[in-house]
Amino acid sequence: SMAPLTLLCLSTIFWGTLFTVWNISQLSKYVSNVYSSLSEGKKALFDSHIVSNFHVIVAVYGGYASYFCDDALFDPLKSAFNESSTRDFYLMITAGYLLYDLMLCLNYYNDFGFTLTLLHHTLIIIAFVLGVLTHIGTFYMASFLVNEVSTIFYNINCILAVNEEKKDTMLYKVNGILLALTFLIFRVIFNAYNLYLMATHSWWELAIVRGMWFTESNFRRIMCPMLSLLAVGHTVINTIWFTEIINAVHRKMTRRRRHRKQR
């Protein structure tokens, strides 16, 4: 199989190339009639949402495939310390995408300005790379890929919001509700479940019940808590994002009601 870091680099190049070609070709003008009037930075932001949708397809499929590619869900040892070419592949593909997106955010920081996104991407890249290289916890890392189900609704929301007229449409309203709902299910509830499963199915069972904490190497005794903390950080960031989404949906609803009253 291809070396993980090589796959990481190739993935970064692929997503960067796809963005560059899409951006230079101005293909988004066929998606939104206000695209041409946007600044260079806002066009880059718009195009990044388009590219993100392509990654969603790959990531969600990869998360599903990784979850059921072996019996790690039923075997604590395999879920904690197991090498899977399927999981390694999709984790490096997504790590490459996040690295490309991280560089894009830094390059257009004034237009993107997502400080929490920079932290999120950095945490996940570190976790995925270390996990794949050490074969620790990749089952749980790959499970997080299904988080991306909500991303497509986020991208649609951002694409529609560029045009002020679209904000008054039923599509924008329904998409906002679907964004909040899928975010709650796939990024808050599922992530909490994933952390619970990691703590009980793997670490408690192996470290305490089977007493492996006292027989494992110092390296693993350092890496397991560290990678677990990165997973907790990922979940906390997503919970913060969820509260922001709920507030945004609430603002949309109240703005719409005020607009109706003014009529």
Side-chain angles (χ1 to χ4, degrees), residues 37-256:
S37 64
L38 299 176
S39 66
E40 180 185 349
K42 294 302 182 185
K43 284 180 179 178
L45 181 58
F46 190 99
D47 294 337
S48 73
H49 291 303
I50 301 293
V51 173
S52 175
N53 282 337
F54 290 111
H55 171 256
V56 167
I57 299 169
V58 177
V60 172
Y61 175 79
Y64 175 81
S66 297
Y67 208 70
F68 299 106
C69 68
D70 56 23
D71 58 349
L73 182 61
F74 309 101
D75 186 333
L77 195 59
K78 282 187 178 180
S79 65
F81 312 114
N82 185 41
E83 181 179 359
S84 164
S85 58
T86 299
R87 282 193 279 273
D88 290 356
F89 176 80
Y90 286 107
L91 286 173
M92 287 299 93
I93 291 296
T94 290
Y97 168 80
L98 292 175
L99 184 56
Y100 133 78
D101 200 49
L102 182 65
M103 292 188 289
L104 200 62
C105 288
L106 290 171
N107 190 48
Y108 292 101
Y109 186 78
N110 290 334
D111 293 285
F112 285 44
F114 306 139
T115 304
L116 205 55
T117 300
L118 299 179
L119 176 61
H120 170 267
H121 285 15
T122 302
L123 289 180
I124 300 303
I125 292 167
I126 292 172
F128 282 8
V129 171
L130 289 178
V132 169
L133 292 178
T134 61
H135 312 306
I136 297 176
T138 55
F139 168 73
Y140 298 105
M141 294 178 193
S143 299
F144 282 127
L145 294 179
V146 300
N147 288 177
E148 294 300 307
V149 168
S150 66
T151 302
I152 192 163
F153 298 104
Y154 171 71
N155 288 330
I156 292 172
N157 181 80
C158 294
I159 289 169
L160 291 174
V162 169
N163 189 337
E164 286 295 326
E165 293 179 358
K166 298 292 184 182
K167 291 182 178 181
D168 291 324
T169 63
M170 181 60 69
L171 174 62
Y172 187 68
K173 179 180 178 181
V174 171
N175 184 75
I177 294 172
L178 288 174
L179 169 58
L181 186 62
T182 54
F183 210 100
L184 174 64
I185 294 171
F186 292 99
R187 288 183 180 262
V188 178
I189 296 175
F190 178 79
N191 285 2
Y193 166 74
N194 208 26
L195 290 180
Y196 169 78
L197 194 65
M198 180 173 63
T200 58
H201 178 61
S202 292
W203 304 143
W204 178 264
E205 172 65 26
L206 297 176
I208 307 303
V209 177
R210 300 188 188 183
M212 288 178 63
W213 178 260
F214 305 102
T215 60
E216 283 297 320
S217 65
N218 288 331
F219 176 76
R220 278 189 172 180
R221 283 190 287 191
I222 293 172
M223 289 298 298
C224 291
M226 188 181 81
L227 291 174
S228 298
L229 283 175
L230 291 175
V232 171
H234 168 70
T235 302
V236 169
I237 290 173
N238 276 282
T239 304
I240 293 171
W241 279 338
F242 178 67
T243 61
E244 293 177 353
I245 288 171
I246 292 300
N247 289 334
V249 171
H250 181 260
R251 284 196 304 271
K252 289 177 188 177
M253 298 304 177
T254 54
R255 183 176 64 234
R256 187 176 300 276

